[in-house]
Each structure stands twice: as C-alpha cells, then as structure tokens.
C-alpha cells in the first residue's frame, strides 16, 4: 500500500489480470504455496447464531463448459454449507461464451438470485453497478465477512468502489496484468523460434508462415472475436488513452491513434495470409474443438504458474509464454473477477456469509475449484494436485474466491504464490490507477458507443475486414454517436481527479 500511495501521480504504469499482494491483509500461505492450516468457518452455533433459519441460495458463475459431475459437487458443497451457515446453495454455472447474454436477460427480468460472478470483461461490473443490479456491500462485509475483507489489500477494494461504496468482493488472485502470446512449445522447438527475440507481434510473422506452410490443419494464430482487444499498454498508453509519461494526463481516443490502425492493419494482413482462423470474429472461446489445433494465441494474464493451468486444459500440450508488455497493475486488473450480491436477493446476509465461508474454508474452496480427491484429481503433496481432465469435473478456481487457499496444479512451482506477491509489488502502476469514469452525464452516448464497439471491434481487431474501408466508417459512426462529447466528459473528470490528487 505504501508503494502505491508513494508513487502517486508521477507513477508510470499499466494493465490486466490477477495474484497475491503483500501487506497487512495478506493471507498466510505455507512456504509451499497453500494455506498453513485449512481454516474453517465457524458453524452457526459456534458464532452464537444457532437460531439461523435454513435458507436456499442461488449462485451464478462462469465456466468454460458445464461439467458432467456438477450435481455431485453441488451435493458435496451443500454438506459443508449446511453445517456451517444452515444454508443450501444451487450452483448455476454457465459457459463463458453465453454468460453475459444469459445474465443480462436474467437481470433485466428481475430474476431472484443471490450470488453472481461479474468482471470487467463479462457481465460487466461497472455497467451493472450503475444499473443498480448489485447491492452495496460495505456494511454486509464488516458484519458477515470480516476475514474476507481483511485478506484483500485496500487498493483492490478501492478499485471496486462506485461513488465511495463497494459492490462486489474480488476473487483475490494476482492484481497484475502481463500481456503477450502463448506459443505451443513443440512448434517453437520444431521451427527454432527464438522466444527471447520476440518483442512485438510482427516478430512472430516468419514463425506463423512456417506453421502455415508446414502444418496442415493447424491454425497459426488463434483469435477469439469478443476477447481480442487493442491492448494500450503494448503501445505506450494506459487504459484511458493517457500516454505513459505524459504529466498533462491528456486522454487520447485509442481508436483514432496510429497504433490502433497499425494493429488492425497487421491483423488484416495476417488474416489474408491465412494465419488467423476464419471464424475469428464470431467464435466466443477456445473450447475443446480448437485444443491442439493452433500454434499461437493471445494471453492477457501471464501470472506465475499460468502455463501449467493452460497445459492441464489443453490436452497436456506445453506452452511457452512470450510477454509483449511490462507487468502492470491498474483498476482493470483489480476487477477481472468478482462476486456480487444481486439486488433481488432475499437473503443478502446469508449470501455474504457464504462468500466469507468460501474465502476462508480451504476444504470448500478446493471442492469448488478441483472437485473430489481420487476422482477429479490426485494429490501429489500437501499443496499440489494432478487434475484428471477426464474425471468429470473441472472449474476455473478464480471465479470462486481467494486462490491462495487453493492447491497448486502439477507443474506450478512450490513458490508460485510467493513469486506472485513479489510480482505484484514490482508491477508498474498505471498513471490513472484509481480513476473511474462516470458516464452518467453521457449515458446515451456511451451506450451507443458500446454497441458500435461490440459490432466493429471483433471484425477489425481479428483482421476479418479491411481497415482501409471499415476503420473510417467505424470512426465516423463513433463521432455521430457522440464520441467527442464522451471524450470531453472523460477529460473533464480526469482533470478534476488529477487536481484533487495533487492537493493530497
């Protein structure tokens, strides 16, 4: 925390994904990476609330695909939850590809549910907070989840705030972002790719050409339309378009930048050469149908040990990660995975008790994350497991809670959590860390711009269309939708934020 406050406005910095931070609120993992003790939540009687009535909770969250043994896991989860907080929970996983659409529909219809996973990239956190979809949590956290609150550093909580209030609990992992690409190791070895010589996308082109010419059936560069973004940090900007090192904090519309055009032109050139999958603009996720069929993909979260996670979900194929930007932290990288309580919840207090339980009870957290020992995984040591991909249950552990309560996956180093904390401490802080644009004054314009982005960017940024034609059309439509007005409001708020910071 001192590091962030001390860096303040002059700090240079940047962007995107999740691991542990040091400070007074850190969990205390064992040297090998797991919690030193399987801390269990107190039961209702232990906490002096033996009279808690039984309630039923509903929890929505995202997964790559719903596992066959989902009901088995739910039954086991409820044995723990019932004994601890006298509740049962209906787990409702939805595949990431359709998660946002289905949750938007449920939310708009006023469906009653309790816990819901949200992020900056799916079922958008900021948008839902502004729509009133989530409950403010400050009082609930203090009363029913004090340990979960204490385990997360203050600046991460600050990233979740809207008008001074917290609306979701971060699923605490890394709070850094490291942007780059993943290359299937066997192809890197086979064609002599010097990973240390790759500093920008263009350096990959000779390698992609070799894959195209010599590996029939293999996609040289796999892209997923909705997830393919122009990453500002790789081109010297922060998330709000402020050039790194610009003390004036002038925000530049990224779509109008020469770097954005350069990226779109490169992707189109690669698409025309056959390096990119033909369905790039429409495919929603890299699922089983693509595993083993591509050589390179974009990676937004090169956290310590992530290669082993990908390998376990990719048929055992090893990958090599190549960073294309500095390790950074910003507001975005602190809100990539959160759990909120729906405004329609009939039992918000018990929902918060469940969040506390998942974040402090190692048995429950690992059950949700890895399933049952002997069926879905085997333990290699006290803190490391080998996942059985054909066992009937897999889930992304980062959607549930504090990953530092979880097992390491085979292939991850015993000091993964320790390295993650150090990486957190050394990450470059984006200049606008802590700034959160409020689009209330330009809500209609912002909504129209968001719709245009959703329409044009999957086409432009995957190279599916020619930017010589589509980029001018896109920019013209953005202007008509009110992009200049939104940009002016953004700069006004940013100037006020800078002025306030200078007085502190």
């Amino acid at each position: 925390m001192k590091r962030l406050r001390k860096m303040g406005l002059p700090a240079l910095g940047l962007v995107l994904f999740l691991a542990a931070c040091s400070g007074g609120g850190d969990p205390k993992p064992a040297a090998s990476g797991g919690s030193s003790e399987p801390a269990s939540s107190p039961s209702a009687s232990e906490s002096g609330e033996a009279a808690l009535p039984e309630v039923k909770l509903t929890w929505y969250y995202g997964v790559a695909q719903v596992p066959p043994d989902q009901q088995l896991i739910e039954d086991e989860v409820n044995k723990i939850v019932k004994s601890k907080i006298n509740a049962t929970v209906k787990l409702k996983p939805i595949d990431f590809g359709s998660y946002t659409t289905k949750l938007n529909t449920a939310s708009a219809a006023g469906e009653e549910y309790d816990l819901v996973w949200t992020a900056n990239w799916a079922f958008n956190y900021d948008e839902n907070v502004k729509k009133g979809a989530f409950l403010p949590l400050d009082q609930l956290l203090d009363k029913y989840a004090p340990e979960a609150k204490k385990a997360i550093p203050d600046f991460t909580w600050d990233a979740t705030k809207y008008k001074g209030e917290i609306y979701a609990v971060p699923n605490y992992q890394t709070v850094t972002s490291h942007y780059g690409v993943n290359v299937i190791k066997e192809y890197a070895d086979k064609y002599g790719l010097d990973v240390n010589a790759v500093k920008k996308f263009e350096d990959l082109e000779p390698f992609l050409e070799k894959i195209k010419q010599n590996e029939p059936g293999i996609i040289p560069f796999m892209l997923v339309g909705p997830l393919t973004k122009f990453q500002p940090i790789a081109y010297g900007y922060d998330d709000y378009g402020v050039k790194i090192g610009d003390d004036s904090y002038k925000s530049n519309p990224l779509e109008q930048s020469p770097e954005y055009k350069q990226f779109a032109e490169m992707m189109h050139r690669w698409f025309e050469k056959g390096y990119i999958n033909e369905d790039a603009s429409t495919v929603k996720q890299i699922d089983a149908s693509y595993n083993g069929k591509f050589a390179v993909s974009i990676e937004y979260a090169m956290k310590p040990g992530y290669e082993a996670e990908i390998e376990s979900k990719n048929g055992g194929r090893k990958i090599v990660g190549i960073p294309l930007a500095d390790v950074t932290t910003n507001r975005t990288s602190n809100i990539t995975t959160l759990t909120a309580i729906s405004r329609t919840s009939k039992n918000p207090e018990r929902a918060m008790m469940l969040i506390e339980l998942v974040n402090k009870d190692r048995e429950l957290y690992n059950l949700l994350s890895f399933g049952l020992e002997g069926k879905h995984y085997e333990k290699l040591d006290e803190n490391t497991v080998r996942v059985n991909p054909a066992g009937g249950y897999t889930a992304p552990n980062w959607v549930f809670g504090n990953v530092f309560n979880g097992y390491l996956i085979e292939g991850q180093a015993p000091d993964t959590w320790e390295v993650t904390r150090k990486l957190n401490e050394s990450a470059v802080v984006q200049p606008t860390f802590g700034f959160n644009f409020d689009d209330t004054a330009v809500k209609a314009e912002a909504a129209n711009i968001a719709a245009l982005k959703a329409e044009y960017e999957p086409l432009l940024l995957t190279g599916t269309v020619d930017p010589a034609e589509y980029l001018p059309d896109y920019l013209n439509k953005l202007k008509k939708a009110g992009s200049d007005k939104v940009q002016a409001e953004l700069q006004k708020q940013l100037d006020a934020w800078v002025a306030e910071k200078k007085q502190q």
Side-chain angles (χ1 to χ4, degrees):
M1 284 308 303
K2 286 184 178 179
R3 177 182 65 89
L4 289 175
R5 282 196 289 264
K6 182 175 67 175
M7 293 184 79
L9 289 176
L12 304 184
L14 313 156
V15 178
L16 182 81
F17 209 86
L18 305 141
C21 212
S22 66
D26 275 347
K28 304 298 182 187
S32 57
S35 297
S36 56
E37 295 292 339
S40 297
S41 298
S43 65
S45 59
E46 290 171 333
S47 62
E49 299 185 54
L52 282 175
E54 181 177 352
V55 299
K56 294 182 179 180
L57 303 173
T58 301
W59 185 358
Y60 277 111
Y61 56 87
V63 292
Q65 50 191 348
V66 179
D69 284 352
Q70 181 64 37
Q71 187 58 53
L72 172 61
I73 298 305
E74 181 178 311
D75 292 343
E76 293 299 316
V77 163
N78 279 319
K79 291 178 183 178
I80 299 173
V81 175
K82 181 70 166 62
S83 68
K84 299 289 185 180
I85 61 171
N86 200 24
T88 56
V89 56
K90 178 63 181 175
L91 302 176
K92 302 192 77 169
I94 297 175
D95 67 277
F96 288 122
S98 56
Y99 187 82
T100 297
T101 299
K102 289 185 177 180
L103 263 297
N104 279 339
T105 300
S107 183
E111 178 183 328
E112 292 183 8
Y113 56 89
D114 301 284
L115 302 181
V116 59
W117 177 78
T118 179
N120 65 305
W121 56 277
F123 194 48
N124 187 272
Y125 174 64
D126 288 332
E127 291 176 9
N128 280 287
V129 169
K130 292 171 184 177
K131 288 190 298 188
F134 306 147
L135 292 176
L137 302 182
D138 295 75
Q139 293 183 15
L140 289 170
L141 275 164
D142 289 340
K143 186 171 183 179
Y144 299 106
E147 291 191 36
K149 185 176 183 180
K150 184 174 65 175
I152 299 171
D154 289 345
F155 72 88
T156 297
W157 286 116
D158 289 343
T160 72
K161 290 181 179 179
Y162 176 69
K163 294 185 177 179
E165 293 192 273
I166 295 168
Y167 283 85
V169 178
N171 297 314
Y172 190 44
Q173 314 174 64
T174 179
V175 291
T176 63
S177 167
H178 205 185
Y179 178 68
V181 293
N182 295 326
V183 181
I184 301 298
K185 187 177 185 301
E186 66 180 272
Y187 294 129
D189 293 343
K190 182 175 181 179
Y191 295 105
L193 177 65
D194 182 359
V195 297
N196 294 317
V198 178
K199 305 299 181 184
K200 57 186 184 300
F201 279 110
E202 288 83 353
D203 295 335
L204 285 167
E205 191 156 351
F207 174 71
L208 298 177
E209 179 63 25
K210 290 178 182 178
I211 298 296
K212 176 66 178 175
Q213 295 298 325
N214 299 291
E215 300 292 340
I218 298 298
I219 298 165
F221 195 44
M222 176 73 194
L223 293 180
V224 177
L227 300 182
T228 303
K229 305 295 182 184
F230 174 77
Q231 195 66 10
I233 177 58
Y235 295 92
Y237 297 91
D238 82 352
D239 283 358
Y240 285 105
V242 175
K243 270 282 191 181
I244 304 306
D246 180 7
D247 293 337
S248 72
Y249 286 77
K250 180 182 182 298
S251 174
N252 301 277
L254 293 172
E255 298 84 0
Q256 298 177 23
S257 69
E259 293 87 354
Y260 187 97
K261 180 181 179 183
Q262 171 192 339
F263 183 80
E265 289 174 342
M266 178 192 68
M267 288 300 183
H268 183 60
R269 184 173 70 250
W270 286 5
F271 188 89
E272 292 286 284
K273 289 184 176 184
Y275 299 160
I276 295 171
N277 45 306
E278 292 183 357
D279 61 354
S281 66
T282 57
V283 65
K284 294 182 177 179
Q285 63 178 334
I286 299 177
D287 58 19
S289 63
Y290 282 104
N291 283 344
K293 297 181 181 179
F294 63 90
V296 182
S297 63
I298 291 179
E299 177 59 53
Y300 293 92
M302 305 179 76
K303 59 184 179 180
Y306 88 98
E307 297 95 338
E309 293 181 3
I310 292 179
E311 179 184 341
S312 69
K313 300 171 185 175
N314 194 29
R317 307 187 81 204
K318 294 184 180 297
I319 62 118
V320 178
I322 304 176
L324 298 177
D326 290 334
V327 180
T328 64
T329 185
N330 67 344
R331 180 173 183 268
T332 300
S333 61
N334 282 264
I335 59 167
T336 54
T337 172
L338 314 108
T339 300
I341 296 178
S342 171
R343 63 176 172 79
T344 62
S345 174
K346 298 300 184 183
N347 295 285
E349 296 85 0
R350 205 71 62 86
M352 183 58 76
M353 291 173 70
L354 179 56
I355 291 175
E356 173 85 330
L357 189 63
V358 172
N359 276 275
K360 63 187 278 192
D361 189 305
R362 197 180 188 203
E363 178 187 4
L364 177 58
Y365 176 78
N366 281 314
L367 175 60
L368 286 162
S369 300
F370 298 101
L372 297 173
E373 182 180 359
K375 178 173 175 56
H376 304 121
Y377 68 88
E378 61 177 292
K379 294 186 76 171
L380 302 181
D381 58 44
E382 187 60 28
N383 295 302
T384 307
V385 300
R386 175 182 293 142
V387 175
N388 178 6
Y393 183 80
T394 57
N397 62 343
W398 42 265
V399 305
F400 299 117
N402 190 332
V403 301
F404 293 93
N405 289 326
Y407 297 129
L408 294 170
I409 297 172
E410 181 183 22
Q412 291 182 316
D415 64 349
T416 293
W417 300 148
E418 179 183 350
V419 172
T420 300
R421 283 197 300 275
K422 290 180 179 178
L423 193 63
N424 237 25
E425 294 170 2
S426 63
V428 180
V429 182
Q430 285 208 6
T432 55
F433 187 99
F435 173 73
N436 184 19
F437 177 53
D438 181 359
D439 66 3
T440 302
V442 288
K443 189 169 291 294
E445 292 84 356
N448 290 334
I449 289 169
L452 285 170
K453 287 180 182 288
E455 176 185 355
Y456 274 84
E457 290 200 337
L459 296 169
L460 280 166
L461 300 183
T462 61
T464 305
V465 297
D466 187 352
E469 176 185 355
Y470 277 78
L471 184 55
D473 184 48
Y474 179 38
L475 295 176
N476 183 51
K477 287 185 177 179
L478 286 174
K479 190 174 185 66
K480 288 181 178 179
S483 60
D484 289 346
K485 182 178 179 180
V486 172
Q487 187 66 27
E489 178 65 21
L490 169 61
Q491 190 64 58
K492 175 185 173 183
Q493 293 183 26
L494 189 56
D495 289 344
W497 179 79
V498 171
E500 181 182 353
K501 286 289 184 182
K502 286 182 178 179
Q503 293 176 359
Q504 294 177 356

